[in-house]
Amino acid sequence: HLASGEPEQATELFQRSLTVAEGIQDWQGKGQTLQNKGDLSRYRYAYQEALSHYQAAQAVFKQIGDLGGEGTILRRMGEVHQIQTEFEQARDLYAQALAIHQETGDLSEQGKTINRIGEAYYHQGSYEEALTYYQQALDISRLEYVGDRISEAKALQNFGRVYAVQGNYTDALDY
């Protein structure tokens, strides 16, 4: 319902899902539902509410030992801080997420997180630093066993943005 533009129905369904998950002690389901509620709040520009849901999800994932879920939540929390131009907090959360994804060996999530670190630097005007992270994200996305074409496209797009903002239109067009 969220994707179809019906956030009120999505809110109701997420609440029902949360009630069921808690009732049957499906902690993974509870964590995922809290994550979804955070995503919905972010979509509705309710950033503090989003962070609250994400923090609750992080606590659940930590309690059940789901490192991957915890890493994803930390990245999403970083994204909320980045939207609010709180770049230092965003990078700190991204660094925590990256450490978890490195520990679990999830290269796809590592690439997404590294790309987000680059975006935080980009938004602060640290373009060379951003390019370094974009290159790392691009390299990971192009690994045969990762094959994350969406992340590859985002990294390439980010290269183009940096070169365009620097006035280097020739290189920007290459991306």
Side-chain angles (χ1 to χ4, degrees), residues 52-63:
S52 177
H53 290 307
Y54 289 150
Q55 288 166 347
Q58 179 190 13
V60 171
F61 288 136
K62 184 172 268 202
Q63 181 181 8

Side-chain angles (χ1 to χ4, degrees), residues 1 47 49 57 66 68 70 77-78 88 125 137 164 174:
H1 289 279
Y47 299 125
E49 184 178 299
D66 181 350
E70 187 179 353
M77 289 169 63
E88 294 295 326
D174 288 341

Side-chain angles (χ1 to χ4, degrees), residues 2 5 12 36 38 49 56 60 75 89 95 98 100-101 111 117 126-127 135-136 145 155 162 168:
L2 174 59
E12 180 184 326
N36 291 340
E49 184 178 299
V60 171
R75 178 173 49 82
Q89 291 164 309
L98 182 58
I100 288 172
H101 294 309
I117 295 169
S126 299
Y127 302 125
Q135 186 62 56
Q136 291 176 37
Y145 50 90
V162 170
N168 187 346

Side-chain angles (χ1 to χ4, degrees), residues 51-173:
L51 287 172
S52 177
H53 290 307
Y54 289 150
Q55 288 166 347
Q58 179 190 13
V60 171
F61 288 136
K62 184 172 268 202
Q63 181 181 8
I64 64 173
D66 181 350
L67 287 176
E70 187 179 353
T72 298
I73 288 295
L74 287 166
R75 178 173 49 82
R76 290 195 172 158
M77 289 169 63
E79 291 166 356
V80 171
H81 284 287
Q82 185 166 309
I83 289 167
Q84 298 180 101
T85 68
E86 298 166 348
F87 301 113
E88 294 295 326
Q89 291 164 309
R91 283 202 318 264
D92 180 57
L93 289 162
Y94 294 150
Q96 292 176 53
L98 182 58
I100 288 172
H101 294 309
Q102 288 171 331
E103 182 179 338
T104 63
D106 187 335
L107 286 172
S108 180
E109 285 296 321
Q110 286 177 46
K112 290 174 189 175
T113 304
I114 290 168
N115 193 53
R116 289 295 191 183
I117 295 169
E119 288 176 359
Y121 280 112
Y122 169 84
H123 289 294
Q124 289 185 288
S126 299
Y127 302 125
E128 294 307 314
E129 192 76 22
L131 288 172
T132 299
Y133 283 97
Y134 293 154
Q135 186 62 56
Q136 291 176 37
L138 182 62
D139 291 345
I140 289 172
S141 70
R142 286 183 167 168
L143 293 172
E144 186 176 326
Y145 50 90
V146 175
D148 188 345
R149 300 298 305 229
I150 293 172
S151 292
E152 179 181 1
K154 286 180 182 179
L156 290 169
Q157 179 184 36
N158 286 336
F159 269 103
R161 285 188 334 167
V162 170
Y163 289 132
V165 80
Q166 290 177 325
N168 187 346
Y169 302 114
T170 303
D171 284 344
L173 290 173

Side-chain angles (χ1 to χ4, degrees), residues 2-23:
L2 174 59
S4 65
E6 301 174 11
E8 291 77 22
Q9 287 182 309
T11 299
E12 180 184 326
L13 291 171
F14 287 150
Q15 191 55 50
R16 287 173 40 197
S17 174
L18 188 60
T19 300
V20 170
E22 288 173 337

